[in-house]
Amino acid sequence: MTAETNVPISVTVNGRLVRRSVPPRRTLADFLRDDLGLTGTHLGCEHGVSGACTVFVDGRSSRACLMLAVQIDGTIVDTVEGLDQFEETARLRRAFSARGGLQCGFCTPGFLVTAVELLRDPDAEKPLTADSVRETLSGNICRCTGYQGIVAAVLDAAKPPDSADSADS
């Protein structure tokens, strides 16, 4: 067998241009974690089932364990570490904390990325319902919370900041 030749890629990750040479079979998740030190992207199953590795690729949620790093050449990738650029993130973090939407925190990055996408989606059902939030989050698995706090947190974050019945009241 011959050694694999690394492939050069150029990608913007969390607003920063990154140029690297990567093995052709390195996953995006391994590239983010091992090469860039962005350990917020968690590996839960490496089969695309848990949702813990969810990141944005060109503004759309994607499973980083199912993509190869070479596939992201020329794209924009945002991980949980880069979510502060979205106005919804601060509201989601406060609501997750207030509603008990996180316990061990392992699944939280994937839920946050998915929830930011939902709150930013102009085609999403407005106002959101518990059922529509559950449907959107169904690709993310949590073993600790029972999901009620997570769903409540997303619904709270979807409300206008001055809403009287938010988690802050």
Side-chain angles (χ1 to χ4, degrees), residues 49-137:
V49 176
S50 75
C53 67
T54 305
V55 298
F56 287 126
V57 177
D58 286 338
R60 304 277 310 187
S61 63
S62 301
R63 299 292 201 249
C65 73
L66 296 179
M67 291 187 75
L68 297 173
V70 296
Q71 292 176 282
I72 62 163
D73 185 38
T75 67
I76 297 171
V77 174
D78 294 299
T79 69
V80 69
E81 291 94 342
L83 289 184
D84 285 343
Q85 67 179 304
F86 303 110
E87 66 182 57
E88 296 82 3
T89 303
R91 291 195 322 264
L92 279 165
R93 286 181 177 149
R94 283 192 304 272
F96 265 64
S97 180
R99 292 293 192 163
L102 48 96
Q103 288 182 19
C104 82
F106 189 82
C107 65
T108 304
F111 274 106
L112 287 173
V113 171
T114 304
V116 165
E117 182 177 48
L118 173 64
L119 296 180
R120 295 183 61 78
D121 183 358
D123 297 325
E125 175 186 326
K126 303 290 185 203
L128 297 176
T129 65
D131 286 341
S132 67
V133 171
R134 278 188 191 93
E135 177 68 25
T136 298
L137 299 179

